Amino acid sequence: MASSKPILCGSCHKGEVTTKADIWCYNCDEGLCSTCLSHHKRFKATCDHKTIDIKSYKPSIQAIKTECDKHGQQLNLYCPGHLMPCCDECISTSHSKCMGIKSLSGVVEKTKIEKLKETVKTDISSLLNVLNKLISNKSENIKTGEIQCVSIKKSITEIRKEINKHLDHLEKKLCQETDIIWNQEKSKATGFISEIEGKTDNLKVIQEHLQTVTTHSSKLQSFLDVHQIEQQVHQCQRYVDDLEIDERIKEVDIKMKQNDEIEKILSKLESLESLGEVIVIKTEVAINIDTSVSRELKLVPLQEQSNINNMTMNIETKIKINIKKLISDMICLMDGRVIVVERWGKVNLLTSDGKLQKQLPIPDLQYGE
């Protein structure tokens, strides 16, 4: 049941005043009363924020965080190899060998959310088609197995008619073995179907969630929401890929391997120990699936290595560095920041526009001449 609790003005609440909100600001992610809204519209930094009447506002199904869950830092970078936003700490600890790290704001700016939604929607449909086909094939396999099982029992009965009562216990034994083996395979098949149906239901939930991505949210929030769905689709993609080596996907045939000695010893029933053997024959099933996730993972290695002999340098930008001392080393980071090492013992971290961000002295450091 939906809560009837009114949304309060975030600005008033910060001043310890309780006021009902009249509008909702998607950029600030909080409600505003009419008084605070007038101030909100006058400030240059907030005058172009996207707002909506509070009666029309529908809270998002799941809040999209713009901070790293692991490190608590702002998500400002994007790893195309792993399809995930990252913070500075993530890059240094988990993606140090990844190539092509980009600015998250740049990726968001270039990304067309509706086109991304359509791509994910197409991938979901492709995965659903594959999983539904697997369910259909396995269901038909069960029907075939039932017929084969009946055929085996009929063969056993026909064989029994050719021999005497001495073989009654062998017939019962083989029938029981047939039922046990088939029940085992049938149980595996139905369990496999249930597992796939669970994945199918999950994909449908994700598909419904994708339709709820609001167009009133900020572009970053919409991007992260769709990207989170894309990660879940990617997990299902890996599940489907792993099915190619899963024994459960193989076709199952129930057949009886008749004892070669039966024909020879019909006249010597005392020496007959078995009417046959129930065996399971499994046939490989090919899974053909083509989604944007699988194509991207095949085309973009997670740790791409470049040949230094094929590398060329192009000057994209110039920055002024206000350091008058001798410089021994300089490193340009993937996010545009620059590390400058002075000749006698200081390491400077500069922003992409040349401003000093951090400085680390290194005592007793000796440099060779």
Side-chain angles (χ1 to χ4, degrees):
M1 182 176 180
S3 174
S4 59
K5 186 176 180 181
I7 298 176
L8 302 179
C9 174
S11 298
C12 292
H13 185 67
K14 294 173 184 175
E16 299 183 355
V17 177
T18 301
T19 310
K20 291 184 179 179
D22 296 311
I23 66 103
W24 180 266
C25 177
Y26 283 104
N27 297 77
C28 298
D29 198 27
E30 66 179 6
L32 296 171
C33 65
S34 57
T35 303
C36 293
L37 174 62
S38 62
H39 297 292
H40 197 74
K41 292 295 185 182
R42 286 200 298 266
F43 285 111
K44 184 178 180 180
T46 58
C47 64
D48 60 347
H49 280 194
K50 187 178 294 185
T51 59
I52 190 175
D53 188 277
I54 200 68
K55 295 179 181 179
S56 302
Y57 169 66
K58 295 181 180 179
S60 176
I61 295 177
Q62 183 177 5
I64 302 301
K65 295 182 179 180
T66 59
E67 294 183 351
C68 177
D69 291 333
K70 187 174 182 180
H71 303 110
Q73 299 182 16
Q74 190 70 20
L75 297 171
N76 59 349
L77 300 171
Y78 184 80
C79 175
H82 289 94
L83 300 175
M84 63 171 58
C86 309
C87 68
D88 292 341
E89 189 69 19
C90 290
I91 296 299
S92 61
T93 57
S94 304
H95 302 268
S96 59
K97 295 184 179 180
C98 295
M99 303 297 291
I101 302 298
K102 301 178 181 178
S103 166
L104 178 58
S105 60
V107 174
V108 172
E109 185 64 27
K110 294 178 181 178
T111 298
K112 296 181 179 179
I113 300 299
E114 290 302 321
K115 184 176 181 180
L116 179 59
K117 286 176 61 177
E118 286 301 318
T119 300
V120 177
K121 182 179 179 181
T122 301
D123 290 349
I124 292 176
S125 299
S126 180
L127 289 170
L128 285 173
N129 289 336
V130 172
L131 295 178
N132 288 331
K133 183 177 180 181
L134 288 175
I135 292 174
S136 176
N137 289 347
K138 189 56 67 172
S139 298
E140 288 299 321
N141 192 193
I142 291 176
K143 293 179 181 179
T144 302
E146 295 283 7
I147 297 173
Q148 292 170 337
C149 189
V150 172
S151 177
I152 289 175
K153 292 181 179 180
K154 182 178 179 180
S155 298
I156 294 171
T157 302
E158 291 175 354
I159 293 173
R160 187 187 179 284
K161 291 179 181 180
E162 299 177 10
I163 60 180
N164 58 31
K165 295 181 179 181
H166 178 71
L167 302 178
D168 285 349
H169 71 283
L170 296 179
E171 177 190 4
K172 183 179 180 180
K173 177 182 177 182
L174 190 55
C175 286
Q176 289 175 341
E177 181 183 355
T178 300
D179 290 332
I180 290 173
I181 291 179
W182 170 238
N183 287 335
Q184 290 174 345
E185 293 303 318
K186 182 178 179 180
S187 177
K188 293 176 184 177
T190 54
F192 188 42
I193 289 176
S194 297
E195 180 179 311
I196 296 176
E197 288 175 337
K199 297 293 182 181
T200 300
D201 292 340
N202 187 41
L203 272 174
K204 291 179 179 178
V205 171
I206 295 173
Q207 192 175 39
E208 293 177 359
H209 185 188
L210 183 65
Q211 300 299 324
T212 66
V213 175
T214 176
T215 58
H216 297 294
S217 299
S218 68
K219 193 169 186 180
L220 174 59
Q221 290 175 321
S222 297
F223 172 82
L224 293 176
D225 201 1
V226 176
H227 182 271
Q228 187 178 71
I229 296 174
E230 187 180 24
Q231 288 293 314
Q232 295 172 335
V233 175
H234 177 50
Q235 291 177 357
C236 190
Q237 169 71 57
R238 292 201 300 268
Y239 170 82
V240 174
D241 290 343
D242 291 342
L243 290 179
E244 292 185 355
I245 57 174
D246 195 321
E247 287 289 322
R248 297 175 298 173
I249 200 175
K250 294 181 178 180
E251 295 284 353
V252 174
D253 287 322
I254 305 298
K255 297 184 181 298
M256 184 186 73
K257 183 180 179 182
Q258 183 172 296
N259 193 325
D260 295 334
E261 296 296 319
I262 289 180
E263 297 295 333
K264 298 179 181 180
I265 62 174
L266 283 176
S267 59
K268 300 179 181 180
L269 298 179
E270 291 294 336
S271 64
L272 187 62
E273 297 180 355
S274 173
L275 295 178
E277 178 185 357
V278 178
I279 60 175
V280 176
I281 299 175
K282 296 185 177 182
T283 306
E284 297 286 350
V285 175
I287 300 180
N288 297 319
I289 183 168
D290 184 25
T291 64
S292 63
V293 175
S294 62
R295 291 193 297 271
E296 187 166 0
L297 292 177
K298 291 176 182 178
L299 294 175
V300 182
L302 292 184
Q303 295 184 359
E304 181 180 350
Q305 300 295 328
S306 300
N307 188 334
I308 193 170
N309 295 323
N310 297 329
M311 294 174 64
T312 59
M313 295 183 63
N314 294 313
I315 298 177
E316 294 186 355
T317 185
K318 294 182 180 180
I319 61 174
K320 293 183 179 180
I321 299 176
N322 188 21
I323 297 179
K324 298 181 180 180
K325 297 184 179 181
L326 293 176
I327 296 175
S328 62
D329 290 287
M330 184 181 297
I331 301 173
C332 183
L333 302 179
M334 292 181 179
D335 60 359
R337 292 181 296 173
V338 180
I339 296 176
V340 178
V341 181
E342 296 178 9
R343 188 169 180 78
W344 287 286
K346 284 187 179 179
V347 177
N348 303 277
L349 176 60
L350 308 180
T351 61
S352 59
D353 56 358
K355 296 180 181 179
L356 180 63
Q357 182 175 346
K358 290 182 181 179
Q359 188 177 68
L360 177 65
I362 303 179
D364 302 326
L365 183 64
Q366 299 296 325
Y367 289 89
E369 293 294 326

